[in-house]
Structure formats: structure tokens, C-alpha cells
Amino acid sequence: MAATGPETPVDPQAVRRHRILFRTIAKRKNPKLRRTDITVTDEAAVKRATKAASLGNAMEWFDFGIYSYLAVTLGHVFFPSENDTAQLLSSFATFAVAFLVRPLGGMFFGPMGDRIGRKKVLALTMILMAIGTLAIGLIPSYASIGFWAPVLLIFFRLVQGFSTGGEYGGASTFIAEYAPDKRRGYFGSFLEFGTLAGYVGAAGLVTLLTAWLGSDTMEAWGWRLPFLVAGPLGLVGLYLRLKLDETPAFKKLEDENAHASEAADTIETSTKDDLAKIFRVYWPTLILCIALVGAYNVTDYMLLSYMPTYLSDELGYSETHGLLILLGVMVLLMLMINQVGKLSDRFGRKPLLMAGMLGFLVLSLPAFLLIGQGSIPAIVAGMLMLGLSLLCLLGTMSAALPALFPTPVRYGSLSVGYNLSASLFGGTTPLVITALISVTGSNLMPAYYSMAAALVGVIAVACMKETAQKPLDGSPPAVGTKEEAAELVHAQVAEPKF
């Protein structure tokens, strides 16, 4: 079917002369919903899907978080140097390397998820992440094998990054397509609950081991233990994901494609074709997604990944000190995040996202000035200011982003946009901030950097459409009960005129 351009304005005189004809045309363009068109979600199935996606996401970010929290120790083990800053930069550069390959993972796994299904691809990403993380824990140190130690570290970081490229887009798509339209924000918030749980698990384990073993033992062999935990955890996540059914939206799409393919069996699609379509047709939405994710990721990684290093290396606090404070902040965010998801269902995605972006724009500088004061109450107050701003983004973004794209290209488009942005702006955040502080000598550079990102975010949120309580683009309405479905159908029936 040929692509249609903007509709030609209809002559009002013609409408008056041919009312029945134009009414018929309008009905064909916007057919009424039938009861069979509406998806009635199964509450138990939605909860199972949410649990599996969130737990899998928690395990992915547990694996990823370990590296960021052990950045200083890993710098000593794999990058011997007399200059502490150079050592830290080398460690964070290796952290960033995983993000550079994430877009390739997104371009590989995303279109695959749109063609063969969300469930299979999410299981594959889980396996790869577990292998990559487990392998890092087994690499000999620089003192043992020299040059090959950092080479192997970088290789397995690339494996981690490649697998993560298919994770967020798939997990958020999975939950969004399972959840009823009116509760997508609430169920979507569990995905970031899983992210925080992964970070908390990683930070908690690193903190306990550091306090128990001491810095010298951690550097000698203790750093390996958190990585070695990844294998068993990966198997748990894989088991949960393989038990799930495919999403209702993808099943419906598969059925429609099966009918269409009967008339066009010779047509084949490939990842290359799917990617070309994403960049050619959906580039405006892709740019919007990149801007939103860029602002979100800079602030996210600045607080959840970089902050312990900032407190210990730039401000001189002990590593355990910084991790414990961040741990408390993240636990508080976990307790509140689902309420933010509910608020986004009630008031809309845009108000919550705008509140978070404006929070970082206005509060970043005061927060870092407080953190620089040195007292524990001042540090906690500063971290809470940043944490509550981030909470507005965490509780809303996982429902807002999948709704940007239609069902046939949702996994692929979101994976490409999310990971391009995460690669450019997320994973490079610790590296960029460390370098900026080194060049300028100012400990306030993290504040200025997050403010710049928040400004981009404010503009992006202003440009996006509100999607709360609306069906996903390209999918039928999804409701929680049969009564809601009946109400939707009944609402289309015109009241008789007398």
C-alpha cells in the first residue's frame, strides 16, 4: 500500500451535500472497536511477567553495578600506575567500553525481538550477561599475566555491554505490552525497582566484603567474589524468563503477520531491513528518545554509579562511607518508586518527567554544595535532593519510552535509541566527570554536567506526547477486567436523538 501524505482539507459544502458518503468514509477510517479487539489482561500473568522482567533486570544491573562500585580496586588490580587519577580514568574507560558496544547489541537484539519474540531474546541476553560477569571474576591480575589481564577484562566488558544492549528495550517492552493501559506506569515502575535492587545488591555486597576483608584483601582476591555470584543468579533469571508466555501484543501481531504472509510468502525481512526502516521512518521519534534517555542516563549514572567514587576519591571519604550513604538513598527510592508509577498513571507521564528534569536543573548545584560540606547530615540531604529528582524519572520512564514507538518496531526502535544514548551519555558519565574535575580542579563539575543534561531533558519532555491511560501505538486497547472492555465498547454507541 502506498504511503499516504497529509490529508487534503474537505470542502464543507461537499460534506453537507453528501453526508452519508462522508460518514461512511469516516467510519472506515476509524472503525468502531469490537469486544474481540480489546485485550483483557490476566492479573496473575501480568504479575508473573513483571516479576520475571524486573528480576532479570535486577540481575543484569547487579552484574553491571559491581564493576562501578569496585572501580578503584579494579584500577589497582588491572591498571598499575603511580598516578591515582590515571589509574581511575583507565578503570572508568573500561567501564565506558561496555557502553560503546551497547548500540551494536541494541541493533542486533532489538529487531530480532520484533521478529522472533520478546521472550527468547530476553533469555539470550540473560545468558550472555551471566557468562561475561562470571568470566571477569576468573581473570588473573596484571601482576600474574601482565598485558593480557586488561585485554581480557575489556573483552568480557564488551560481552556484558553487548548483552545489555538488548535488555532494557526488551524488558520495558515486555512489561508495557502485558500491562493494562490504565496501570502501565505502576507495572513499568517495577522494572526500575529491579534496577535499584540490582544496584543495592551490588553496593551492599561490596560494602560488606570491604568492611569484612579490608582493602588489602579485597585487592588481593576479595574483589572476585561479587563477580562469581553472577553465575547462579543468571540461572535463576533465565529460569524465570523461560517460564513466561509471549506478550499479548506480540501474539496478536504474529497472528496478523501470519495471515498477511499467506499472500506474500516470498517476502523476507532481515535485521538490516528492520534497522533501515527504524532510521528511515521513525527518526524524529528516535531523536526524541535519545534526548530523553541521555538526560535520564547522565543523572542516573552520576548518582547511582559515580557518586561513591566521587565521595572517596574527590572528597576524601572512605569507600565504605560513600557506599553506605548511597545504599540508604537507594533503599528509600525503592520504597517510593511504585507510588511514582501510580502517580504517572493518574496525572500523566509528562508532569512527572518534567518535575524530575527541573529538579536536577534547579537542585544539582545546591545538592553538591551540601555534599561538599562534609558532615553526614549535609551529604544525606544533598543525596536526597538528587535522589528524589531521579525518582520522578525512574518511576515513569519505563512506561513512557515503550509508548513512543508502534508495536511492530517497538523492541528494535527502543533498543537502538536507548543504547545509542546510553553509549554516548550514560556510560561515559563517570569518565567525563572525572576528566572535567581533573582539568578544571572544580569539585562542582558533576552538578554542572547534570544541569546541562537536565536542560536537554526539559526540552525533550516538552516535545513528547502524553501517553498515559492510552493504548500502545499499533496495539489494541488493554484493560484489566471484562467490565472495562464492555464499557469501552458501550462508550462508542451513540445516544439516540429524539
Side-chain angles (χ1 to χ4, degrees), residues 280-320:
R280 187 179 67 251
V281 178
Y282 299 100
W283 64 266
T285 314
L286 207 58
I287 291 173
L288 177 62
C289 178
I290 288 170
L292 282 169
V293 174
Y296 166 51
N297 269 338
V298 166
T299 54
D300 184 286
Y301 286 102
M302 183 270 294
L303 181 60
L304 300 186
S305 293
Y306 174 71
M307 189 58 75
T309 303
Y310 175 76
L311 290 173
S312 60
D313 272 43
E314 306 300 339
L315 301 184
Y317 303 117
S318 71
E319 292 171 31
T320 306

Short mmCIF file of all heavy atoms in Angstrom, two decimals, residues 280-320:
data_model
loop_
_atom_site.label_atom_id
_atom_site.label_comp_id
_atom_site.label_asym_id
_atom_site.label_seq_id
_atom_site.Cartn_x
_atom_site.Cartn_y
_atom_site.Cartn_z
N ARG A 280 14.88 5.25 8.85
CA ARG A 280 14.25 6.00 7.76
C ARG A 280 12.88 6.56 8.14
O ARG A 280 12.57 7.72 7.84
CB ARG A 280 14.11 5.09 6.53
CG ARG A 280 13.62 5.82 5.27
CD ARG A 280 13.52 4.86 4.08
NE ARG A 280 12.48 3.86 4.26
CZ ARG A 280 12.70 2.57 4.49
NH1 ARG A 280 13.94 2.12 4.58
NH2 ARG A 280 11.70 1.72 4.63
N VAL A 281 12.09 5.75 8.81
CA VAL A 281 10.69 6.13 9.08
C VAL A 281 10.51 6.79 10.45
O VAL A 281 9.76 7.75 10.59
CB VAL A 281 9.77 4.89 8.97
CG1 VAL A 281 8.32 5.26 9.28
CG2 VAL A 281 9.89 4.26 7.59
N TYR A 282 11.24 6.29 11.45
CA TYR A 282 10.98 6.73 12.82
C TYR A 282 12.06 7.64 13.39
O TYR A 282 12.16 7.81 14.61
CB TYR A 282 10.80 5.50 13.73
CG TYR A 282 9.64 4.64 13.32
CD1 TYR A 282 9.84 3.47 12.58
CD2 TYR A 282 8.33 5.02 13.61
CE1 TYR A 282 8.77 2.69 12.17
CE2 TYR A 282 7.26 4.23 13.20
CZ TYR A 282 7.49 3.07 12.48
OH TYR A 282 6.42 2.31 12.08
N TRP A 283 12.87 8.27 12.52
CA TRP A 283 13.99 9.08 13.02
C TRP A 283 13.57 10.23 13.92
O TRP A 283 14.28 10.54 14.88
CB TRP A 283 14.87 9.57 11.85
CG TRP A 283 14.18 10.50 10.89
CD1 TRP A 283 13.55 10.17 9.73
CD2 TRP A 283 14.07 11.92 11.01
NE1 TRP A 283 13.04 11.28 9.12
CE2 TRP A 283 13.35 12.37 9.88
CE3 TRP A 283 14.50 12.85 11.95
CZ2 TRP A 283 13.05 13.72 9.68
CZ3 TRP A 283 14.21 14.19 11.75
CH2 TRP A 283 13.49 14.61 10.63
N PRO A 284 12.41 10.92 13.70
CA PRO A 284 12.06 12.00 14.64
C PRO A 284 11.83 11.49 16.07
O PRO A 284 12.29 12.10 17.03
CB PRO A 284 10.78 12.61 14.05
CG PRO A 284 10.78 12.19 12.61
CD PRO A 284 11.41 10.84 12.61
N THR A 285 11.11 10.35 16.16
CA THR A 285 10.85 9.78 17.48
C THR A 285 12.14 9.22 18.08
O THR A 285 12.34 9.28 19.30
CB THR A 285 9.81 8.65 17.38
OG1 THR A 285 8.73 9.09 16.57
CG2 THR A 285 9.27 8.28 18.74
N LEU A 286 13.02 8.72 17.23
CA LEU A 286 14.31 8.20 17.68
C LEU A 286 15.14 9.31 18.33
O LEU A 286 15.76 9.11 19.38
CB LEU A 286 15.06 7.59 16.50
CG LEU A 286 16.06 6.47 16.77
CD1 LEU A 286 15.39 5.30 17.47
CD2 LEU A 286 16.68 6.02 15.45
N ILE A 287 15.13 10.49 17.72
CA ILE A 287 15.87 11.63 18.26
C ILE A 287 15.29 12.04 19.62
O ILE A 287 16.02 12.33 20.57
CB ILE A 287 15.85 12.82 17.28
CG1 ILE A 287 16.68 12.49 16.04
CG2 ILE A 287 16.37 14.10 17.95
CD1 ILE A 287 16.59 13.50 14.93
N LEU A 288 13.96 12.05 19.71
CA LEU A 288 13.30 12.37 20.97
C LEU A 288 13.69 11.36 22.05
O LEU A 288 14.00 11.73 23.20
CB LEU A 288 11.78 12.38 20.79
CG LEU A 288 10.92 12.64 22.04
CD1 LEU A 288 11.21 14.01 22.62
CD2 LEU A 288 9.44 12.50 21.72
N CYS A 289 13.69 10.09 21.69
CA CYS A 289 14.07 9.02 22.63
C CYS A 289 15.51 9.21 23.11
O CYS A 289 15.80 9.10 24.30
CB CYS A 289 13.91 7.66 21.95
SG CYS A 289 14.39 6.25 22.96
N ILE A 290 16.41 9.51 22.19
CA ILE A 290 17.82 9.70 22.53
C ILE A 290 17.99 10.87 23.50
O ILE A 290 18.76 10.80 24.46
CB ILE A 290 18.66 9.91 21.25
CG1 ILE A 290 18.77 8.59 20.48
CG2 ILE A 290 20.05 10.45 21.58
CD1 ILE A 290 19.36 8.72 19.09
N ALA A 291 17.25 11.95 23.26
CA ALA A 291 17.34 13.13 24.15
C ALA A 291 16.82 12.81 25.55
O ALA A 291 17.44 13.16 26.56
CB ALA A 291 16.57 14.30 23.55
N LEU A 292 15.68 12.14 25.61
CA LEU A 292 15.10 11.77 26.91
C LEU A 292 16.03 10.83 27.68
O LEU A 292 16.31 11.04 28.86
CB LEU A 292 13.75 11.07 26.70
CG LEU A 292 12.54 11.93 26.38
CD1 LEU A 292 11.37 11.05 25.93
CD2 LEU A 292 12.13 12.76 27.59
N VAL A 293 16.52 9.81 26.99
CA VAL A 293 17.37 8.81 27.65
C VAL A 293 18.72 9.42 28.03
O VAL A 293 19.29 9.09 29.08
CB VAL A 293 17.56 7.58 26.73
CG1 VAL A 293 18.57 6.61 27.33
CG2 VAL A 293 16.23 6.88 26.52
N GLY A 294 19.24 10.33 27.20
CA GLY A 294 20.51 10.97 27.51
C GLY A 294 20.45 11.74 28.81
O GLY A 294 21.31 11.59 29.69
N ALA A 295 19.40 12.57 28.95
CA ALA A 295 19.24 13.34 30.19
C ALA A 295 19.04 12.42 31.38
O ALA A 295 19.62 12.62 32.46
CB ALA A 295 18.04 14.28 30.04
N TYR A 296 18.25 11.39 31.19
CA TYR A 296 17.94 10.42 32.25
C TYR A 296 19.19 9.65 32.68
O TYR A 296 19.49 9.51 33.87
CB TYR A 296 16.86 9.48 31.71
CG TYR A 296 16.60 8.22 32.46
CD1 TYR A 296 16.36 8.22 33.82
CD2 TYR A 296 16.54 7.00 31.78
CE1 TYR A 296 16.09 7.04 34.50
CE2 TYR A 296 16.27 5.83 32.46
CZ TYR A 296 16.05 5.85 33.81
OH TYR A 296 15.78 4.69 34.47
N ASN A 297 19.97 9.20 31.68
CA ASN A 297 21.14 8.37 32.00
C ASN A 297 22.28 9.15 32.64
O ASN A 297 22.97 8.62 33.51
CB ASN A 297 21.64 7.67 30.73
CG ASN A 297 21.00 6.31 30.54
OD1 ASN A 297 20.52 5.71 31.49
ND2 ASN A 297 20.97 5.82 29.33
N VAL A 298 22.50 10.39 32.20
CA VAL A 298 23.55 11.19 32.82
C VAL A 298 23.28 11.35 34.31
O VAL A 298 24.15 11.15 35.16
CB VAL A 298 23.68 12.57 32.15
CG1 VAL A 298 24.52 13.52 33.00
CG2 VAL A 298 24.32 12.43 30.76
N THR A 299 22.04 11.71 34.64
CA THR A 299 21.69 11.91 36.06
C THR A 299 21.68 10.59 36.82
O THR A 299 22.12 10.53 37.98
CB THR A 299 20.31 12.58 36.17
OG1 THR A 299 19.34 11.82 35.42
CG2 THR A 299 20.34 13.99 35.59
N ASP A 300 21.23 9.51 36.17
CA ASP A 300 21.17 8.20 36.80
C ASP A 300 22.57 7.69 37.14
O ASP A 300 22.85 7.30 38.29
CB ASP A 300 20.46 7.23 35.84
CG ASP A 300 20.26 5.85 36.45
OD1 ASP A 300 21.24 5.11 36.57
OD2 ASP A 300 19.11 5.51 36.81
N TYR A 301 23.47 7.67 36.16
CA TYR A 301 24.81 7.14 36.39
C TYR A 301 25.65 8.06 37.27
O TYR A 301 26.54 7.60 37.98
CB TYR A 301 25.52 6.87 35.06
CG TYR A 301 24.98 5.63 34.38
CD1 TYR A 301 24.09 5.73 33.32
CD2 TYR A 301 25.33 4.36 34.82
CE1 TYR A 301 23.57 4.61 32.70
CE2 TYR A 301 24.82 3.23 34.22
CZ TYR A 301 23.94 3.35 33.16
OH TYR A 301 23.43 2.24 32.58
N MET A 302 25.37 9.35 37.18
CA MET A 302 26.08 10.29 38.05
C MET A 302 25.80 9.97 39.52
O MET A 302 26.71 9.95 40.36
CB MET A 302 25.66 11.73 37.72
CG MET A 302 26.38 12.81 38.51
SD MET A 302 25.54 13.21 40.06
CE MET A 302 24.02 13.93 39.46
N LEU A 303 24.54 9.69 39.84
CA LEU A 303 24.17 9.44 41.23
C LEU A 303 24.43 7.99 41.65
O LEU A 303 25.03 7.73 42.69
CB LEU A 303 22.70 9.78 41.46
CG LEU A 303 22.17 9.59 42.88
CD1 LEU A 303 22.93 10.46 43.88
CD2 LEU A 303 20.67 9.89 42.95
N LEU A 304 23.98 7.02 40.85
CA LEU A 304 23.99 5.62 41.28
C LEU A 304 25.31 4.90 41.02
O LEU A 304 25.62 3.91 41.68
CB LEU A 304 22.85 4.85 40.59
CG LEU A 304 21.43 5.36 40.85
CD1 LEU A 304 20.41 4.43 40.23
CD2 LEU A 304 21.16 5.52 42.34
N SER A 305 26.10 5.37 40.05
CA SER A 305 27.37 4.69 39.76
C SER A 305 28.59 5.50 40.19
O SER A 305 29.52 4.96 40.79
CB SER A 305 27.48 4.41 38.25
OG SER A 305 26.53 3.47 37.84
N TYR A 306 28.57 6.80 39.89
CA TYR A 306 29.77 7.61 40.10
C TYR A 306 29.90 8.14 41.53
O TYR A 306 31.01 8.35 42.02
CB TYR A 306 29.78 8.77 39.11
CG TYR A 306 30.92 9.74 39.33
CD1 TYR A 306 32.23 9.39 39.04
CD2 TYR A 306 30.67 11.00 39.87
CE1 TYR A 306 33.28 10.27 39.27
CE2 TYR A 306 31.71 11.90 40.10
CZ TYR A 306 33.01 11.52 39.79
OH TYR A 306 34.04 12.38 40.02
N MET A 307 28.80 8.36 42.21
CA MET A 307 28.82 9.07 43.49
C MET A 307 29.75 8.45 44.55
O MET A 307 30.48 9.18 45.23
CB MET A 307 27.40 9.19 44.05
CG MET A 307 27.30 10.11 45.25
SD MET A 307 27.89 11.81 44.94
CE MET A 307 26.52 12.44 43.97
N PRO A 308 29.78 7.12 44.74
CA PRO A 308 30.71 6.57 45.75
C PRO A 308 32.17 6.92 45.43
O PRO A 308 32.95 7.23 46.34
CB PRO A 308 30.48 5.06 45.66
CG PRO A 308 29.10 4.91 45.11
CD PRO A 308 28.93 6.05 44.15
N THR A 309 32.54 6.86 44.14
CA THR A 309 33.89 7.21 43.73
C THR A 309 34.16 8.69 43.97
O THR A 309 35.25 9.08 44.41
CB THR A 309 34.10 6.86 42.25
OG1 THR A 309 33.82 5.47 42.06
CG2 THR A 309 35.54 7.14 41.81
N TYR A 310 33.17 9.53 43.70
CA TYR A 310 33.30 10.97 43.90
C TYR A 310 33.55 11.27 45.38
O TYR A 310 34.43 12.05 45.73
CB TYR A 310 32.02 11.66 43.43
CG TYR A 310 31.97 13.15 43.70
CD1 TYR A 310 32.69 14.05 42.92
CD2 TYR A 310 31.19 13.66 44.74
CE1 TYR A 310 32.64 15.42 43.15
CE2 TYR A 310 31.13 15.03 44.99
CZ TYR A 310 31.85 15.89 44.20
OH TYR A 310 31.80 17.24 44.44
N LEU A 311 32.79 10.61 46.25
CA LEU A 311 32.93 10.84 47.68
C LEU A 311 34.29 10.38 48.20
O LEU A 311 34.90 11.04 49.05
CB LEU A 311 31.81 10.12 48.45
CG LEU A 311 30.40 10.69 48.29
CD1 LEU A 311 29.38 9.78 48.95
CD2 LEU A 311 30.30 12.09 48.86
N SER A 312 34.78 9.25 47.67
CA SER A 312 36.05 8.71 48.19
C SER A 312 37.27 9.37 47.53
O SER A 312 38.21 9.78 48.22
CB SER A 312 36.10 7.19 48.00
OG SER A 312 36.00 6.86 46.63
N ASP A 313 37.25 9.51 46.20
CA ASP A 313 38.45 9.99 45.50
C ASP A 313 38.56 11.52 45.46
O ASP A 313 39.65 12.07 45.54
CB ASP A 313 38.47 9.45 44.07
CG ASP A 313 39.14 8.10 44.00
OD1 ASP A 313 38.85 7.29 44.89
OD2 ASP A 313 39.94 7.87 43.08
N GLU A 314 37.43 12.20 45.30
CA GLU A 314 37.47 13.67 45.17
C GLU A 314 37.32 14.38 46.52
O GLU A 314 37.89 15.44 46.74
CB GLU A 314 36.39 14.15 44.20
CG GLU A 314 36.42 13.48 42.83
CD GLU A 314 37.72 13.71 42.08
OE1 GLU A 314 38.44 14.68 42.40
OE2 GLU A 314 38.04 12.91 41.18
N LEU A 315 36.50 13.81 47.42
CA LEU A 315 36.24 14.48 48.70
C LEU A 315 36.93 13.81 49.88
O LEU A 315 36.85 14.31 51.00
CB LEU A 315 34.72 14.55 48.94
CG LEU A 315 33.90 15.30 47.87
CD1 LEU A 315 32.44 15.38 48.29
CD2 LEU A 315 34.44 16.71 47.61
N GLY A 316 37.56 12.65 49.65
CA GLY A 316 38.39 12.05 50.69
C GLY A 316 37.67 11.20 51.73
O GLY A 316 38.25 10.87 52.76
N TYR A 317 36.40 10.82 51.49
CA TYR A 317 35.71 9.94 52.43
C TYR A 317 36.14 8.50 52.18
O TYR A 317 36.63 8.16 51.12
CB TYR A 317 34.19 10.05 52.26
CG TYR A 317 33.66 11.44 52.45
CD1 TYR A 317 33.04 12.11 51.40
CD2 TYR A 317 33.78 12.11 53.66
CE1 TYR A 317 32.55 13.40 51.56
CE2 TYR A 317 33.31 13.39 53.83
CZ TYR A 317 32.70 14.03 52.77
OH TYR A 317 32.24 15.31 52.93
N SER A 318 35.92 7.63 53.16
CA SER A 318 36.24 6.22 52.97
C SER A 318 35.26 5.62 51.96
O SER A 318 34.14 6.09 51.81
CB SER A 318 36.14 5.46 54.29
OG SER A 318 34.79 5.33 54.69
N GLU A 319 35.71 4.55 51.28
CA GLU A 319 34.86 3.89 50.27
C GLU A 319 33.57 3.36 50.91
O GLU A 319 32.48 3.47 50.35
CB GLU A 319 35.63 2.76 49.60
CG GLU A 319 36.78 3.24 48.74
CD GLU A 319 37.67 2.11 48.26
OE1 GLU A 319 37.15 0.99 48.07
OE2 GLU A 319 38.88 2.33 48.09
N THR A 320 33.70 2.77 52.09
CA THR A 320 32.53 2.22 52.79
C THR A 320 31.55 3.32 53.16
O THR A 320 30.33 3.15 53.04
CB THR A 320 32.98 1.47 54.06
OG1 THR A 320 33.96 0.50 53.69
CG2 THR A 320 31.81 0.78 54.72
#
